[in-house]
Amino acid sequence: MPKRSLIANLWCSLRHAGLLLKPMSDADDFSTGLEEALSWINQERHAVSGEFDVERGYIFTTCASVQNGNPIYWDDAVAQALTGGPTAPLTMLSAWFRPHYWMPGRETIPQPWQTHFDLKKTLALPEAVATDSEVVFGEPVRPGDRISAVETLRSLSEVKTTKLGKGRFWVIDCVCSNQNGGWVGTETMTGFGYRKGAR
Amino acid sequence: MSNAGTQSLTLPDVSAGDTLPPLVHEVSTTSVVLGALASRDWRPMHHDRDFAQQRNGTRDIFMNTPNQAAWLERYITDWGGPRARIGRYRFRMGDPICPGDTIVFSGEVESTEIDDVGCAWANLVITLSAANAVKTRFSARVALPADADDNPWSRTGEQWQP
């Protein structure tokens, strides 16, 4: 008997005996949770509110960490003349709605970009990386402001293969507002959730 | 040229192809931890070397994303001056920045423009390098005064279209 037929016969026998699992097709493999994840597109999720007012201690520490001598952060007269009073460095935007590391009565700490982690879990993609980020700034953030944020999934790609593995790309917006409803900025994150080595 | 004082560049001072002065800084453990805590990022890979090495597979703790952004902001306003107002930036990070790295910011003016509401913009491409390798690539859209009497910070509502 030709060698090929022997192998084919053995394969059929083992499958018939239930000793081999049916190989999953790509569609089966990467469709887990897809319908649920698609239902999140353009829906606001995970609204969070800053747990304290914007304050200058963090502003000075941030400026110190990068030796930023911009006088609008250090000289109130310059700040008044140029920016109508003190402001926070624009790139501090996400700091103002980060949760406390601990607080009484709280059992779990909310995670920034929770939608990113929800997608990993729901789509059964154990690994994920942020590939690109963009931030657009609106009104300046000022000491005394209270910043809130809400996430929205904008898109979810077809299954893609990269050098990291096989999975899906997604784009999430995090829209940030002050206590008056004024738009202060939007962070957009592109993520790739994947299975290592999957081809 | 640094504009960390009160002087600011205006759009007529800037042309496509201009290079920004490089910014060089030696990263320390203190500055990485300071930057992480200032941005309220408590994750251990930014302050716990054992965690970073064992869980993240990195050489050491590494600079977090908001602190890289804070360096970018400093780099841009050192060049443009305090009237320079960042409208947006985009970035892609590669290898991490660790204590002991000497980081170098380099940048170039890609283009300039005046938008429909009269706001003057410089579009910048910027790299953050260490050990002669690019670690992060940025692009940024920065509003500059159109002339000596202009101030981008005074723009609100429809007059600010970043």
Side-chain angles (χ1 to χ4, degrees):
Chain A
M1 185 180 284
K3 191 176 176 186
R4 200 166 154 189
S5 299
L6 273 174
I7 293 170
N9 284 344
L10 177 62
W11 179 269
C12 288
S13 302
L14 289 171
R15 276 197 66 178
H16 189 69
L19 296 176
L20 285 180
L21 293 173
K22 182 184 173 189
M24 279 192 290
S25 69
D26 279 356
D28 293 336
D29 203 16
F30 285 88
S31 62
T32 304
L34 182 59
E35 191 175 343
E36 181 182 359
L38 288 171
S39 75
W40 301 343
I41 291 177
N42 293 329
Q43 303 297 312
E44 292 188 347
R45 315 178 76 245
H46 302 301
V48 294
S49 192
E51 294 175 339
F52 66 107
D53 292 347
V54 172
E55 50 97 331
R56 299 186 82 176
Y58 278 109
I59 294 172
F60 291 130
T61 306
T62 294
C63 288
S65 75
V66 298
Q67 300 175 12
N68 185 347
N70 190 333
I72 64 174
Y73 306 123
W74 296 94
D75 185 329
D76 284 0
V78 174
Q80 189 61 47
L82 295 188
T83 57
T87 60
L90 296 166
T91 55
M92 290 189 72
L93 184 58
S94 65
W96 306 121
F97 52 89
R98 287 275 182 272
H100 296 314
Y101 179 70
W102 176 90
M103 64 185 292
R106 177 182 283 168
E107 306 225 339
T108 56
I109 305 170
Q111 291 209 73
W113 297 109
Q114 183 62 53
T115 303
H116 174 83
F117 296 99
D118 292 348
L119 286 163
K120 280 180 66 179
K121 185 176 178 186
T122 301
L123 296 170
L125 299 171
E127 312 293 336
V129 292
T131 61
D132 291 272
S133 294
E134 184 169 41
V135 189
V136 187
F137 299 107
E139 293 181 29
V141 171
R142 299 180 185 279
D145 281 353
R146 185 67 72 101
I147 305 302
S148 58
V150 63
E151 296 177 9
T152 304
L153 175 65
R154 292 299 179 198
S155 65
L156 182 61
S157 79
E158 298 296 316
V159 176
K160 306 276 187 186
T161 301
T162 73
K163 64 181 180 182
L164 292 172
K166 194 170 183 180
R168 295 180 189 276
F169 285 91
W170 48 71
V171 177
I172 304 167
D173 279 350
C174 179
V175 178
C176 309
S177 307
N178 62 23
Q179 68 282 1
N180 301 316
W183 172 67
V184 295
T186 299
E187 296 189 25
T188 300
M189 185 253 271
T190 302
F192 178 61
Y194 64 98
R195 294 179 196 158
K196 273 184 188 171
R199 296 283 177 219
Chain B
M1 178 170 60
S2 170
N3 269 308
T6 55
Q7 296 298 308
S8 293
L9 293 176
T10 61
L11 193 67
D13 300 325
V14 175
S15 301
D18 287 355
T19 55
L20 281 65
L23 170 65
V24 180
H25 180 79
E26 187 165 333
V27 177
S28 68
T29 299
T30 301
S31 69
V32 170
V33 174
L34 198 59
L37 298 188
S39 54
R40 296 175 58 79
D41 186 343
W42 328 117
R43 292 175 299 167
M45 62 283 259
H46 304 306
H47 61 258
D48 182 336
R49 177 188 284 176
D50 288 344
F51 184 97
Q53 289 176 336
Q54 292 163 21
R55 294 286 295 276
N56 297 96
T58 52
R59 290 173 282 136
D60 201 333
I61 62 170
F62 53 94
M63 190 184 290
N64 75 338
T65 304
N67 198 226
Q68 285 201 29
W71 276 107
L72 173 75
E73 185 168 7
R74 178 209 155 167
Y75 182 59
I76 290 171
T77 55
D78 273 8
W79 165 75
R83 288 176 199 252
R85 180 179 177 184
I86 300 173
R88 68 170 62 214
Y89 70 93
R90 186 177 181 86
F91 64 95
R92 174 171 287 190
M93 289 191 297
D95 292 336
I97 305 289
C98 297
D101 285 346
T102 298
I103 57 172
V104 181
F105 275 91
S106 306
E108 183 176 317
V109 179
E110 190 175 54
S111 61
T112 61
E113 62 185 297
I114 294 182
D115 69 15
D116 293 344
V117 293
C119 187
W121 296 96
N123 297 306
L124 309 178
V125 288
I126 293 169
T127 57
L128 167 56
S129 303
N132 296 317
V134 174
K135 306 291 186 178
T136 307
R137 296 179 188 278
F138 301 91
S139 60
R141 180 167 158 83
V142 182
L144 296 175
D147 55 44
D149 298 325
D150 186 26
N151 178 12
W153 290 103
S154 66
R155 292 181 173 275
T156 59
E158 293 298 313
Q159 296 301 304
W160 177 244
Q161 298 186 0

